Amino acid sequence: MTTPPSTTPPSATRPSTTRPSSTPRSSTAPRPAPWVRTRLRAAPLATLLGAALAFVAVLLAAALPRAQDRGADQALRSFLERSAAGNTSLQVTAPSPDSGQSAQALDSTLGKLLGPTGSTFRVDPERTIHGARTTKRQELLNPELSRPSGLPPSMNLLHVREAEAHVKLAEGKWPSSTPTAPAQAAPGETAPLQVALSQKAAATLGARVGSVLKIASRVGGTPSVEVVGLYAVLDETDDFWTDNLGCLARACEHFYNESLAWDVDALVGTGDLDRMSAWSRTAEDFWQLPVDVDHLRADRLDATRKDIASYIAGPTAATLARETGRAQLHTTSWLPERLEEARDRTQAAAPLAAIGPAGVGGVAFVVLCLAGALAADRRDAELRLLLARGGSRAAIVGRLLGEGAVTVLPAAAAATTLAVLLLPTPRSAPALLSATAVALIALLAFPVRAAVLLTPARPAGRWRRPVAELVVLIATAAAVVAVRRRGVAPPGSDLDPLLIAAPLLLALCGGLLLARLQPVITGWLARAAGHGSGLVGFLGLARAARGSGATGRTGPSVLPMIALLLAITTGGFGAAVLQSVDSSRLGVARLTVGGDAAISAYGKSPLPAGLAKAAGELPGVRTSVPLWVDHDSSLHGTTVRSSQVTVVVADPAAYAELSRVLGCGSFDPALLATAGASAADAPVPALFSAGVAGQAVQGGTYTVQPGDGGELKVRVAGTIDCTPAHPARDAATVVLPTGAATNLMGGADHPNRWLGLGDVDGNRLRALVRSKLPAPSGTPTPAPAPIPGSGSAAGPAALDEPYPVSTSAEAVTALGSDPLQRSAQRLFWASMAGAAGFALLAVLLTLMRAVPERAALLARLRTMGLRRRQGVALILAETLPQTLAATLGGALVAAAAVALLGPAIDLSTLVGARVPNGVRLTAGPVLTQALGLAALVAAAVFVEAATSGRRQITNELRAGDQR
């Protein structure tokens, strides 16, 4: 039995007519939740990912310009520091006043000279050197002084302010600071000037404390100097003791033809400043102002050069002459020339330094646009619903801007601050502008895309895409033509952004072309796969050709393809540049050394017996070439009768292999073959350099006479443009084969050079040389270094080695030690790592956008018997064609970029030596970049398909299809 329902329903209950007085009126109306907070809480993961993307993009945008500035500044300072101290100083001179000379006047002028500095360049006041000096050395006539070749020594007098701080008084006293009393002078002479002399100079001359050094008699009084003290220099390597201070630290050798004389300088005290001009009748004041290179900036080189030029000869120089009261004030410096060289170096290295940041900037821009497009597509239904319920486009876009500002702006501010703290540089404007631009792109990408989606579709828009593609094609053609005509960095001009954008424009053209071809080709492959029995390949390729999206429209699939193309093209192009730099550097190093390794003897001394053979048996040596080289030979019988030549005697086969590998004077060794039964007086076949061959008579016989005697009849067997033993292009050389040449030329049977090819360890080679050295008494005396261009590349330690050893690996290291080169390479590889990361992110964003729709499809297919591995294969078949197409297209575009733009790139600065222009196209660097990025993307796609796909399919099967 059931209970009848109540006759009074709950809704009919009469409400109370009294309202509680304790409840406020406003509590009955709920307040609307804030839009931004609600939307951010509704999708926390998307919010965090958007903030992380903005943070990384802005961090790179702010860090790359600062890293580039730091590298350029470091390279500039290193370049100037390697110059001599005098090359980075301002040398100011003026005639000493006829009377009234004083230390206070010198110091006062120094203060006025330092006044105009400090804007674009500054002078280190602690390192300034100033004083007065006589302008002509006077011969000392004292008979007790040293005269190595019978010539008297000469002396100059200097007064150097604060010189006492750099020396130690060893004996006697310092010259007096008060004027010398004229009563001390003998009749017909002036009172001696008190001077201090260095201990080393005094020992060389034979002078001592109390010595009075005299010069030739003069009308009006003969000056002389009295040595009142001897000093020892604390550190002769100190910048204080420069060439401008003459011979203050020690006596200097002065040769008059073959005769030797000594030059010395002495320090004068302040008391005799006014009488210094009596020593040589003229004296001058000098101020050496060392420019502080640590405060020079690469971005202000032009302004610095102008200010220094004005200081040397310009408005600043005129103002200083007027303020100091010295009308003949004269300033000289090598610094403008050094700064011009530094500017040329920076411009030459700028293309490689800019290619990397340009590439990562282009890829990041595509990724930010892709992220905005995918976010707008994901919220397309929501935005259209808001528009349908009365919301305006402006209001909706404004709310989206508010959402973005809450996430993007704090992330951008944090990223910029981090870049500034991690990479401190004086210049912040480029980093701030770049960071601001990227932050605006990250902020506006989503609202702009949403505004486009909410704009009513306009008919007759089919012409827009072809017009845009035509504009890109025209811009690319213009950039390529400009690069081929002017070069990437035209001499004397700043870097043109259009020229640097040429690789990116080529990549963009390739991406647009591939976006049109890829669906067609993939459709063909899908139809071909449809004829087979399997379903996975056909379905995956069909979806890849059609594109997928939740709304049924084709998604923005062209953007990840363009991102991949940009990354692969810029990476391949830059890697080809670096590969050309490395190969050119190795070629220069090999020519400098003469091979991969070399052992040289000084002069005409032969190598120790058995050394060449033992060196050829070392591990890693592929080709061993003992040589006999004579730079003092003469050639007789040509049109100029006699000319000096360099004779090289070597085994023809080994030397031909060496010449072929070095690309220097390749020849057929059969040209130097001599018949075994030839007459003893038959001319020996020889290879003449082009210049010597031009002086030869057709079919003539010539005589070679080595510098140490003997002679040999030779005939011209061939012509070479250079030879490894003496690689200078204009060198006069004659190459002879071993055998007849060694029998007829004295000394040619004992090699004085050894050249080798292969992976030779320099330390092991030096150890071998030391083991072959004769007794110390037999060690040859080191002589001057070999003739420049002879192929020897002995390093600084070579003068201490009886048989210098040099290797191409050490020469390559020396050529690549320039901070400018290392900075450009580090910046490029860091940029390429960022570009690869952004390209990978573009693919992952596209995959994540299609996850819901793909999961629904796979769930349905699972109910029809699709296995789990087949599901993963289906995802790979759908996503990898675009990656593979981008890889192939990127490799082809990178190769095209190298072929079109490579010949216009000057690699000399990056190599470290003058080399012909051009980047050589090799498959290795381009394929390495393309395949490496393709493998990275494929691995990421596989991991995503195997993990998130499985989870999404399981959730879909449990929840059912609610779409």
Side-chain angles (χ1 to χ4, degrees):
M1 184 175 179
T2 60
T3 304
S6 174
T7 59
T8 306
S11 60
T13 304
R14 189 183 301 276
S16 174
T17 58
T18 61
R19 178 177 296 137
S21 59
S22 60
T23 303
R25 184 179 183 89
S26 61
S27 64
T28 59
R31 300 175 61 184
W35 170 273
V36 174
R37 185 184 66 185
T38 303
R39 290 306 309 160
L40 296 182
R41 286 183 175 180
L45 181 59
T47 301
L48 292 177
L49 290 179
L53 177 60
F55 179 85
V56 173
V58 175
L59 179 63
L60 284 176
L64 288 178
R66 299 180 71 82
Q68 193 169 4
D69 281 351
R70 287 168 59 88
D73 291 344
Q74 181 184 4
L76 170 64
R77 293 160 187 169
S78 175
F79 172 73
L80 294 178
E81 286 171 357
R82 289 199 301 267
S83 302
N87 288 344
T88 59
S89 300
L90 299 172
Q91 313 289 342
V92 186
T93 59
S96 298
D98 295 335
S99 61
Q101 175 69 295
S102 65
Q104 292 75 17
L106 295 173
D107 296 341
S108 175
T109 303
L110 174 64
K112 295 176 182 178
L113 293 176
L114 294 177
T117 64
S119 54
T120 58
F121 71 97
R122 64 182 295 267
V123 173
D124 188 355
E126 301 296 329
R127 296 170 49 223
T128 57
I129 303 173
H130 66 291
R133 61 191 171 203
T134 55
T135 57
K136 185 177 180 180
R137 297 184 182 276
Q138 300 298 312
E139 295 182 350
L140 302 178
L141 303 182
N142 299 60
E144 69 273 12
L145 298 182
S146 173
R147 301 187 180 193
S149 301
L151 299 177
S154 302
M155 175 179 283
N156 247 352
L157 304 182
L158 289 91
H159 171 74
V160 183
R161 302 290 291 156
E162 300 180 359
E164 294 85 350
H166 300 271
V167 298
K168 177 183 178 182
L169 186 63
E171 186 179 352
K173 64 176 182 178
W174 288 111
S176 175
S177 58
T178 58
T180 305
Q184 298 176 358
E189 296 182 357
T190 60
L193 287 78
Q194 296 184 0
V195 299
L197 202 61
S198 71
Q199 278 185 313
K200 293 181 179 180
T204 301
L205 292 182
R208 60 182 183 274
V209 175
S211 298
V212 177
L213 308 180
K214 300 182 179 181
I215 62 175
S217 301
R218 290 181 187 166
V219 178
T222 302
S224 59
V225 296
E226 179 184 1
V227 181
V228 298
L230 301 179
Y231 61 83
V233 176
L234 298 178
D235 183 10
E236 292 188 20
T237 63
D238 189 357
D239 291 341
F240 184 82
W241 305 103
T242 61
D243 294 338
N244 290 327
L245 290 186
C247 307
L248 284 177
R250 61 174 68 232
C252 302
E253 296 178 345
H254 192 146
F255 286 92
Y256 298 91
N257 295 326
E258 300 296 329
S259 301
L260 171 65
W262 297 113
D263 287 343
V264 295
D265 294 332
L267 287 174
V268 176
T270 56
D272 290 329
L273 263 177
D274 206 24
R275 295 200 303 138
M276 281 182 59
S277 58
W279 180 256
S280 63
R281 300 190 183 277
T282 57
E284 68 176 9
D285 300 338
F286 68 92
W287 298 266
Q288 180 173 307
L289 312 178
V291 175
D292 191 354
V293 298
D294 291 337
H295 286 77
L296 295 180
R297 291 167 49 181
D299 60 293
R300 305 180 66 182
L301 273 181
D302 290 340
T304 304
R305 277 197 312 124
K306 291 180 180 178
D307 288 350
I308 292 179
S310 176
Y311 197 102
I312 295 174
T316 305
T319 302
L320 288 175
R322 183 174 60 255
E323 291 179 352
T324 58
R326 298 174 180 263
Q328 300 183 44
L329 192 72
H330 181 61
T331 304
T332 59
S333 178
W334 287 102
L335 196 55
E337 288 77 6
R338 299 287 86 79
L339 294 180
E340 181 64 25
E341 292 178 15
R343 183 176 182 272
D344 294 341
R345 285 162 39 83
T346 303
Q347 286 181 337
L352 180 62
I355 286 174
V360 70
V363 179
F365 175 77
V366 172
V367 171
L368 291 175
C369 293
L370 177 62
L374 294 178
D377 288 345
R378 178 174 57 87
R379 297 176 58 179
D380 180 61
E382 170 196 342
L383 299 177
R384 293 185 182 279
L385 180 61
L386 291 175
L387 186 64
R389 290 187 174 183
S392 65
R393 285 198 305 260
I396 295 174
V397 172
R399 290 180 181 272
L400 297 181
L401 281 173
E403 293 181 30
V406 173
T407 57
V408 172
L409 296 185
T416 305
T417 303
L418 182 62
V420 171
L421 294 178
L422 293 179
L423 299 171
T425 56
R427 189 170 63 150
S428 299
L432 293 179
L433 290 176
S434 179
T436 301
V438 173
L440 287 178
I441 294 173
L443 178 63
L444 297 177
F446 178 26
V448 170
R449 175 64 177 174
V452 173
L453 289 178
L454 296 178
T455 301
R458 288 179 291 180
R462 299 173 61 89
W463 54 270
R464 296 174 186 169
R465 181 177 176 182
V467 170
E469 293 174 347
L470 181 61
V471 170
V472 173
L473 180 61
I474 293 174
T476 304
V480 171
V481 171
V483 169
R484 295 299 297 264
R485 288 183 176 179
R486 299 168 49 198
V488 176
S493 63
D494 294 328
L495 199 63
D496 191 344
L498 178 63
L499 305 185
I500 289 302
L504 301 182
L505 291 174
L506 285 172
L508 183 57
C509 285
L512 296 177
L513 178 62
L514 197 60
R516 288 188 175 273
L517 295 179
Q518 187 258 339
V520 177
I521 298 175
T522 308
W524 292 346
L525 295 176
R527 286 192 292 273
H531 295 298
S533 58
L535 178 65
V536 173
F538 166 73
L539 186 57
L541 291 174
R543 287 174 57 81
R546 186 178 66 250
S548 60
T551 60
R553 303 188 317 272
T554 301
S557 58
V558 68
L559 291 180
M561 183 179 296
I562 291 178
L564 285 172
L565 270 170
L566 288 174
I568 293 174
T569 300
T570 54
F573 182 76
V577 173
L578 293 180
Q579 175 68 22
S580 297
V581 168
D582 292 340
S583 60
S584 299
R585 190 177 291 160
L586 178 59
V588 171
R590 280 178 161 179
L591 283 179
T592 303
V593 172
D596 288 324
I599 306 175
S600 305
Y602 287 111
K604 299 178 182 178
S605 302
L607 296 176
L611 176 59
K613 180 180 179 181
E617 296 173 352
L618 287 177
V621 177
R622 299 192 309 270
T623 303
S624 175
V625 188
L627 301 170
W628 184 78
V629 182
D630 183 15
H631 295 285
D632 297 327
S633 297
S634 57
L635 179 67
H636 301 272
T638 62
T639 56
V640 294
R641 294 188 178 182
S642 176
S643 58
Q644 185 175 2
V645 296
T646 297
V647 172
V648 179
V649 179
D651 176 71
Y655 198 66
E657 174 66 12
L658 180 67
S659 301
R660 183 190 63 81
V661 173
L662 268 61
C664 180
S666 301
F667 64 94
D668 184 1
L671 295 175
L672 296 181
T674 56
S678 298
D681 58 349
V684 176
L687 299 177
F688 281 22
S689 62
V692 176
Q695 303 169 4
V697 181
Q698 185 69 24
T701 300
Y702 312 97
T703 302
V704 174
Q705 292 182 345
D708 55 356
E711 65 178 29
L712 180 68
K713 298 292 184 180
V714 299
R715 60 180 175 84
V716 181
T719 303
I720 53 176
D721 55 352
C722 72
T723 190
H726 197 38
R729 295 285 173 178
D730 56 349
T733 56
V734 175
V735 179
L736 300 173
T738 54
T742 55
N743 295 332
L744 297 178
M745 298 179 67
D749 54 339
H750 299 292
N752 55 12
R753 290 278 302 281
W754 176 84
L755 302 177
L757 291 175
D759 187 10
V760 186
D761 186 358
N763 294 328
R764 178 176 293 183
L765 193 59
R766 291 185 177 88
L768 175 64
V769 171
R770 288 192 295 269
S771 67
K772 296 293 184 179
L773 287 179
S777 59
T779 302
T781 303
I787 296 175
S790 63
S792 176
L799 294 178
D800 299 329
E801 301 176 358
Y803 301 101
V805 172
S806 54
T807 64
S808 61
E810 296 169 348
V812 166
T813 302
L815 289 173
S817 62
D818 190 348
L820 186 65
Q821 305 166 5
R822 298 196 302 269
S823 173
Q825 293 180 6
R826 287 196 303 265
L827 187 63
F828 170 76
W829 288 120
S831 301
M832 286 303 97
F838 277 116
L840 178 62
L841 182 60
V843 176
L844 293 179
L845 285 175
T846 306
L847 290 176
M848 296 303 295
R849 174 65 187 97
V851 163
E853 191 271 341
R854 188 188 306 119
L857 172 65
L858 294 177
R860 298 188 189 102
L861 294 176
R862 284 288 297 276
T863 61
M864 292 185 286
L866 185 72
R867 291 191 300 271
R868 183 171 297 168
R869 291 184 179 179
Q870 289 177 319
V872 175
L874 177 61
I875 297 176
L876 294 178
E878 177 186 347
T879 55
L880 288 185
Q882 190 181 61
T883 301
L884 297 178
T887 301
L888 179 60
L892 293 177
V893 174
V898 173
L900 292 174
L901 307 177
I905 297 179
D906 185 3
L907 301 178
S908 298
T909 299
L910 297 177
V911 171
R914 186 65 188 172
V915 294
N917 289 1
V919 177
R920 290 182 291 274
L921 177 59
T922 53
V926 176
L927 291 180
T928 300
Q929 297 294 312
L931 296 179
L933 186 54
L936 181 64
V937 172
V941 170
F942 179 80
V943 171
E944 194 276 336
T947 55
S948 64
R950 180 184 305 177
R951 184 174 59 254
Q952 293 291 340
I953 293 171
T954 303
N955 294 338
E956 194 73 26
L957 289 174
R958 289 176 179 175
D961 187 9
Q962 300 177 359
R963 295 170 177 82

